Amino acid sequence: MTRTLLIATRNRGKLLEFERIFGALGVQVVGAADLGLPEVDEDADTFEGNATKKARACAAASGLLALADDSGLVVDALDGAPGVHSARYAGSAGDAANVDKLLDALAGVPEGARSARFRCVLALASPDDDEVALTVGTCEGAIAFERVGGLGFGYDPVFVPAGHTRTMAELGADEKDALSHRGQATQAMKAHLADRLRPR
Ligand code: ITT
């Protein structure tokens, strides 16, 4: 039984976080881009739907156990946007443009009305059966008025976790993993993963 886990993502920031979280478990992690797998069209309107689609497609294409992450930022003052569209909020221009668009959209919104949360849904799919395990993590917080910090990726420089004064991009790796949406969803996934990786 293989102990290789395919991380069904092309996002380097996510992959780095999974490498460090799973490294301690003795599970070898490989990314979808490293295997040259084709990009999956994320056309579902929920995090659960997109995570399931990515995990199933990558497990089928690789023959490996595949873990997909669909995640994003849900901003109350924007009626939940960018949500499942977080990666392409500003089109294909990338993280910096997404953050610029978010700060513009919240211009004039006062401190008490900038609440938001990161959500992460993980889906674990095997090439051998149709069953998909899903876990969820949420990290509550607020959107800052400007970028602060150089760590992490994506919207981290403008997201201040609840109970903190620093942005996610100022937190060390261990601090982020302990409170992040991805850290929580991954903790919840460990039992499913141990079960699927157990020799049968
Ligand atoms: P894959 O689908 O290949 O995994 P993606 O970047 O397209 O990569 P998503 O569709 O799940 O992934 O989009 C996630 C978006 O949410 C993307 O803009 C990320 O930058 C952002 N995001 C997710 N988790 C984040 C985190 O921990 N810190 C900052 N931004 C995050």
Side-chain angles (χ1 to χ4, degrees):
M1 182 75 186
T2 178
R3 287 188 60 85
T4 300
L5 176 65
L6 172 65
I7 307 292
T9 185
R10 310 179 78 81
N11 181 315
R12 294 298 306 169
K14 287 185 189 177
L15 186 59
L16 278 173
E17 293 191 3
F18 284 118
E19 279 171 350
R20 71 181 180 231
I21 294 172
F22 286 124
L25 300 179
V27 176
Q28 192 193 335
V29 162
V30 62
D34 301 326
L35 295 187
L37 298 183
E39 207 164 332
V40 179
D41 186 18
E42 298 182 41
D43 55 2
D45 56 8
T46 61
F47 293 114
E48 285 80 359
N50 284 321
T52 300
K53 190 173 180 192
K54 287 188 272 190
R56 282 205 167 119
C58 288
S62 67
L64 294 170
L65 191 62
L67 182 80
D69 166 317
D70 203 59
S71 47
L73 189 60
V74 176
V75 180
D76 292 324
L78 303 177
D79 295 325
V84 293
H85 305 295
S86 293
R88 299 183 63 83
Y89 186 43
S92 56
D95 287 347
N98 287 340
V99 171
D100 285 342
K101 182 171 176 180
L102 178 66
L103 290 175
D104 283 352
L106 292 177
V109 176
E111 186 161 3
R114 299 175 74 93
S115 55
R117 62 207 53 79
F118 272 124
R119 253 176 82 77
C120 171
V121 174
L122 296 182
L124 183 66
S126 135
D128 312 320
D129 62 53
D130 284 344
E131 205 183 313
V132 172
L134 290 174
T135 62
V136 179
T138 302
C139 182
E140 296 287 338
I143 306 302
F145 287 91
E146 59 184 16
R147 292 173 165 84
V148 187
L151 302 173
F153 68 98
Y155 296 92
D156 281 342
V158 292
F159 184 83
V160 181
H164 288 254
T165 52
R166 292 176 298 163
T167 68
M168 205 84 124
E170 295 179 280
L171 302 183
D174 290 347
E175 282 179 291
K176 178 175 177 182
D177 294 345
L179 61 80
S180 81
H181 48 310
R182 183 163 300 102
Q184 291 174 34
T186 305
Q187 286 302 327
M189 186 54 86
K190 279 183 180 172
H192 296 287
L193 194 59
D195 186 48
R196 297 287 186 98
L197 287 171
R198 190 185 308 135
R200 292 167 200 275

